Amino acid sequence: LAKTTQPISMDSYEGQEVNITCSHNNIATNDYITWYQQFPSQGPRFIIQGYKTKVTNEVASLFIPADRKSSTLSLPRVSLSDTAVYYCLVGDVDSSYKLIFGSGTRLLVRP
Amino acid sequence: EAGVTQFPSHSVIEKGQTVTLRCDPISGHDNLYWYRRVMGKEIKFLLHFVKESKQDESGMPNNRFLAERTGGTYSTLKVQPAELEDSGVYFCASSPRQGSSPLHFGNGTRLTVT
């Protein structure tokens, strides 16, 4: 499974848009890109998944350039409750359950 | 719909004792997974069930760990005998199918071996 690189931490303020970029230079043709969010004392929670271009749901957008070597999770107008660790994971469809979690990005949203 | 539930939420045992963790997946989810985060490390895959069958147990650390899923519903993960390095948080997850289906995680069991 492809290895990912993300910033260790990010700070933001309420109401701002937050963009977290993940690098996955060795992504394979069959790999999907998935983002999870984790709060303290809870399990990871699925946010969004994509293969190419742009995906949007009710909580976030995922931007994937044509070469797919990186992806950007965009959180619009963050609130204090978005303070969490965000994980970018890459894996192929057949073994996508075998998630490889890196260190994630610790997002702190300030008032 | 009820989420993935794990029991207990915390467990403190002494080295050499036995502990059994339980996971109830979301109803109807055939796929069940165990992950764990040991102290200071990243979350890592342990094993995967499809219904009652072990599909992939390549992440199980050693033979002190035994996972079962009798009847294809809930699953148990037994550690016997527990060692200090087994301390960490054990997560269970489930999904209705493989492929690109996202995993639904429980809140984990925090295991402390003293």
Side-chain angles (χ1 to χ4, degrees):
Chain A
L1 297 178
K3 182 177 178 180
T4 60
T5 303
Q6 343 172 198
I8 293 176
S9 65
M10 294 182 69
D11 279 18
S12 183
Y13 290 92
E14 279 191 293
Q16 289 188 330
E17 177 184 78
V18 171
N19 296 307
I20 306 175
T21 296
C22 176
S23 297
H24 26 80
N25 291 318
N26 297 322
I27 191 169
T29 303
N30 292 335
D31 286 348
Y32 278 77
I33 301 157
T34 309
W35 285 79
Y36 282 79
Q37 173 194 56
Q38 187 177 26
F39 298 111
S41 300
Q42 293 188 21
R45 184 175 73 100
F46 172 81
I47 301 175
I48 197 167
Q49 183 179 69
Y51 183 80
K52 61 180 179 180
T53 62
K54 177 184 174 183
V55 179
T56 297
N57 61 23
E58 63 276 9
V59 298
S61 293
L62 179 60
F63 298 91
I64 306 169
D67 66 5
R68 304 199 327 122
K69 293 183 182 300
S70 67
S71 59
T72 299
L73 174 72
S74 180
L75 305 172
R77 298 178 300 281
V78 295
S79 63
L80 297 178
S81 62
D82 292 318
T83 293
V85 179
Y86 292 81
Y87 295 97
C88 165
L89 300 104
V90 173
D92 67 68
V93 169
D94 291 335
S95 62
S96 60
Y97 63 87
K98 213 165 180 175
L99 304 177
I100 295 182
F101 287 86
S103 301
T105 296
R106 195 170 295 274
L107 173 66
L108 174 62
V109 180
R110 302 177 187 274
Chain B
E1 134 186 296
V4 175
T5 56
Q6 295 187 243
F7 182 84
S9 56
H10 294 82
S11 180
V12 180
I13 61 172
E14 293 183 352
K15 175 181 173 180
Q17 289 186 322
T18 298
V19 63
T20 299
L21 314 180
R22 172 170 170 145
C23 168
D24 285 77
I26 293 173
S27 178
H29 282 193
D30 288 342
N31 294 283
L32 186 148
Y33 318 85
W34 284 96
Y35 284 77
R36 75 170 181 176
R37 184 209 303 274
V38 294
M39 303 305 286
K41 298 289 182 63
E42 296 156 357
I43 299 173
K44 292 198 172 179
F45 167 82
L46 294 179
L47 88 160
H48 168 215
F49 283 99
V50 177
K51 298 184 179 178
E52 68 276 7
S53 300
K54 290 177 186 174
Q55 188 82 358
D56 181 348
E57 51 184 331
S58 60
M60 294 288 265
N62 52 61
N63 58 11
R64 294 186 294 104
F65 290 75
L66 175 64
E68 295 181 320
R69 193 184 181 194
T70 306
T73 54
Y74 71 90
S75 174
T76 58
L77 179 64
K78 181 192 292 187
V79 185
Q80 179 184 30
E83 297 289 344
L84 299 179
E85 63 264 26
D86 299 332
S87 295
V89 182
Y90 290 75
F91 294 103
C92 175
S94 70
S95 71
R97 61 187 182 278
Q98 280 186 239
S100 60
S101 178
L103 273 58
H104 300 261
F105 283 83
N107 287 332
T109 293
R110 181 174 294 278
L111 174 65
T112 302
V113 182
T114 62

